[in-house]
């Protein structure tokens, strides 16, 4: 146990973390350009928030939450997603009283107790955005455009964007009835899970992965067929904006999301090359959620993208950049006096903004050079007795292989611009 991490979690080691930083930096940059500002909420919340927010009949709430009693006997849950927390923060901090819309983004770990497999973990990471207080269909398009722009900048230009409209509560009553009528004659053929969904939330039957349910659902009525005139117009305008932006999408009438709060536009982004867990991101509108959490009626929309799945896709496609994150310069010192000189040169190099390191193992010259090679530094600065006597250092270009002797006083200037 002491040397084994819990199932479904991962260590992100030096050498790997640079790729995470690359993706996260891209998210930050894109959000800045779109006018979204970062929000950080706690990793855990009162359980009730997710039960209410995500929905009682969802897989997340029914079987995937990390819930525990804290020492004060409160029921606490590690966040399974970010939207409910951001809504809570919006209400608690009365952000609705400030300028609207509020456009926020977050990057961080989420927790779901699910069966781990490739692309599915118990602790995973999301980059998400949420917009509160904007009803216009252009915002739906902006949110989807932001997601696609982010993928595009990482070199993932051909991911599939699936969109659908789930309508408003009025449309939902109609579709619910139609679905119940449709599935009634075949109720016995549905999987046990869907049989219980039939009464509670028949829309979720469309999302079932079992072969028989999928077959039966092929001809089922869809939400798009049941939209009220207002929702229909909204969805048409969203699609028009997507066309205007030149962002391709698939109209996927079977798309329903796994969380209960969605209304109107819902979308998912698929990566065909990472196996069963192909959804690299998803989101949509949730115009009733803020009110359901006790706030004023406020429209909301957002998405969350799974960073592990993005990384897997980038890996599969060989799109991860080569990032040299270690020191640029290694000081190779031989002899006590040289070590002392090197140690103070090291501090001056770092103060000048040069990423530098030196040996702390008492290695021989040859072993230090070998180690410098392993670190992948661009330059080695060699200081031995002879160099000390001459007040110079040997500057070795590790890539090109050549070396030259330069006055010790010039070394910082020579390395500063590398
Ligand atoms: P979600 O579809 O549950 O939506 O999750 C979004 C993304 O997180 C998924 O598409 C997937 O890439 C990633 N993800 C989910 N579960 C796992 C897991 N166990 N392991 C690895 N990656 C996973 C939400 O969470 C909503 N809060 C999105 C949203 C924001 N809707 C509106 N605003």
């Amino acid at each position: 146990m002491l040397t084994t991490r819990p199932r479904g979690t991962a260590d992100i080691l030096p050498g790997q973390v640079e790729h995470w930083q690359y993706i996260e930096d891209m998210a930050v940059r894109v959000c800045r350009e779109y006018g979204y500002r970062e929000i950080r909420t706690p990793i855990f919340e009162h359980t009730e928030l997710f039960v209410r927010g995500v929905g009682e009949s969802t897989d997340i709430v029914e079987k995937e939450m990390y819930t525990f009693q804290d020492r004060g006997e409160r029921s606490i849950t590690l966040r399974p997603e970010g939207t409910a927390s951001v809504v809570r923060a919006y209400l608690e901090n009365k952000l609705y009283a400030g300028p609207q819309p509020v456009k926020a983004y977050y990057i961080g770990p989420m927790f779901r107790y699910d069966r781990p497999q490739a692309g599915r973990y118990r602790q995973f990471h999301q980059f998400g955005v949420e917009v509160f207080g904007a009803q216009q269909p252009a915002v739906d398009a902006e949110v989807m455009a932001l997601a696609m722009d982010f993928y595009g900048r990482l070199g993932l230009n051909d991911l599939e964007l699936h969109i659908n409209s789930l309508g408003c509560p009025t449309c939902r009553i109609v579709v619910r009835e139609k679905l119940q009528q449709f599935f009634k004659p075949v109720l016995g053929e549905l999987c046990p899970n869907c049989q219980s969904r039939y009464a509670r939330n028949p829309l979720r039957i469309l999302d079932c992965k079992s072969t028989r349910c999928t077959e039966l659902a092929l001809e089922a009525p869809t939400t798009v067929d049941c939209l009220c005139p207002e929702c229909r117009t909204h969805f048409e305008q969203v699609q028009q904006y997507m066309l205007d932006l030149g962002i391709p999408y698939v109209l996927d009438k079977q798309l329903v999301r796994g969380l209960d709060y969605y209304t109107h536009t819902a979308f998912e982004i698929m990566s065909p090359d990472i196996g069963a867990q192909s959804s690299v991101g998803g989101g949509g509108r949730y115009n009733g959620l803020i009110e359901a959490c006790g706030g004023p009626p406020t429209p909301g929309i957002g998405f969350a993208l799974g960073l592990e799945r993005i990384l897997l896709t980038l890996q599969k496609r060989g799109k991860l950049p080569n990032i040299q994150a270690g020191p640029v310069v290694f000081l190779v010192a031989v002899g006590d006096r040289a070590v002392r000189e090197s140690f103070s040169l090291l501090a001056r190099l770092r103060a000048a903004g040069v990423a530098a390191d030196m040996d702390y193992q008492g290695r021989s010259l040859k072993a230090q050079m070998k180690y410098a090679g392993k670190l992948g530094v661009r330059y080695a600065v060699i200081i031995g007795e002879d160099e000390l006597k001459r007040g110079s250092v040997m500057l070795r270009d590790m890539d090109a292989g050549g070396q030259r002797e330069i006055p010790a006083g010039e070394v910082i200037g020579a390395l500063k611009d590398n």
Side-chain angles (χ1 to χ4, degrees), residues 103-257:
K103 296 163 109 185
Y105 78 90
Y106 49 88
I107 301 170
M110 307 290 160
F111 307 86
R112 295 184 193 175
Y113 190 88
D114 203 347
R115 201 169 41 80
Q117 62 181 87
R120 187 160 74 198
Y121 313 97
R122 291 184 172 165
Q123 175 174 335
F124 60 99
H125 298 76
Q126 287 184 342
F127 154 43
V129 312
E130 313 292 350
V131 183
F132 299 147
Q135 171 63 58
Q136 304 254 304
V139 177
D140 306 40
E142 174 181 281
V143 163
M144 290 189 276
L146 195 165
M148 299 316 282
D149 194 356
F150 166 72
Y151 291 122
R153 291 194 209 192
L154 294 173
L156 303 174
N157 295 300
D158 58 345
L159 299 179
E160 255 181 39
L161 170 64
H162 288 225
I163 73 175
N164 192 15
S165 175
L166 304 178
C168 64
T170 317
C171 313
R172 202 65 70 82
I173 294 170
V174 179
V175 76
R176 194 186 155 93
E177 222 161 81
K178 284 199 176 174
L179 283 168
Q180 284 175 332
Q181 266 169 19
F182 177 86
F183 284 114
K184 198 168 184 184
V186 291
L187 189 55
E189 292 180 54
L190 294 173
C191 74
N193 213 348
C194 284
Q195 291 191 15
S196 92
R197 285 167 169 165
Y198 173 83
R200 287 185 304 157
N201 192 355
L203 202 58
R204 302 271 303 125
I205 300 174
L206 304 182
D207 200 29
C208 183
K209 302 285 176 279
S210 94
T211 327
R212 187 65 189 134
C213 296
T214 314
E215 273 171 19
L216 290 171
L218 275 179
E219 299 294 318
T222 65
T223 49
V224 171
D225 303 327
C226 305
L227 294 181
C228 68
E230 217 176 297
C231 289
R232 185 173 303 281
T233 308
H234 182 93
F235 194 41
E236 279 166 7
Q237 288 177 349
V238 171
Q239 293 182 71
Q240 187 57 54
Y241 279 119
M242 295 303 279
L243 284 172
D244 292 349
L245 290 174
I247 301 174
Y249 63 85
V250 179
L251 176 61
D252 183 348
K253 295 183 179 184
Q254 300 271 339
L255 175 76
V256 285
R257 303 265 303 127

Side-chain angles (χ1 to χ4, degrees), residues 35-141:
Y36 290 66
R37 297 173 67 190
E38 188 178 1
I39 183 164
R40 298 187 187 191
T41 60
I43 302 283
F44 58 84
E45 299 270 0
H46 295 296
T47 302
E48 191 56 25
L49 174 68
F50 300 117
V51 175
R52 279 271 203 98
V54 176
E56 228 152 337
S57 67
T58 57
D59 284 352
I60 294 180
V61 171
E62 277 187 345
K63 43 189 191 205
E64 295 174 4
M65 293 208 299
Y66 276 92
T67 297
F68 59 95
Q69 294 278 115
D70 73 3
R71 287 174 189 273
E73 303 204 342
R74 282 169 288 260
S75 179
I76 293 293
T77 295
L78 299 185
R79 62 180 187 194
E81 59 107 48
T83 312
S85 304
V86 180
V87 166
R88 200 258 320 124
Y90 176 77
L91 295 177
E92 185 166 354
N93 299 287
K94 298 191 174 55
L95 300 185
Y96 51 80
Q100 303 298 301
V102 168
K103 296 163 109 185
Y105 78 90
Y106 49 88
I107 301 170
M110 307 290 160
F111 307 86
R112 295 184 193 175
Y113 190 88
D114 203 347
R115 201 169 41 80
Q117 62 181 87
R120 187 160 74 198
Y121 313 97
R122 291 184 172 165
Q123 175 174 335
F124 60 99
H125 298 76
Q126 287 184 342
F127 154 43
V129 312
E130 313 292 350
V131 183
F132 299 147
Q135 171 63 58
Q136 304 254 304
V139 177
D140 306 40

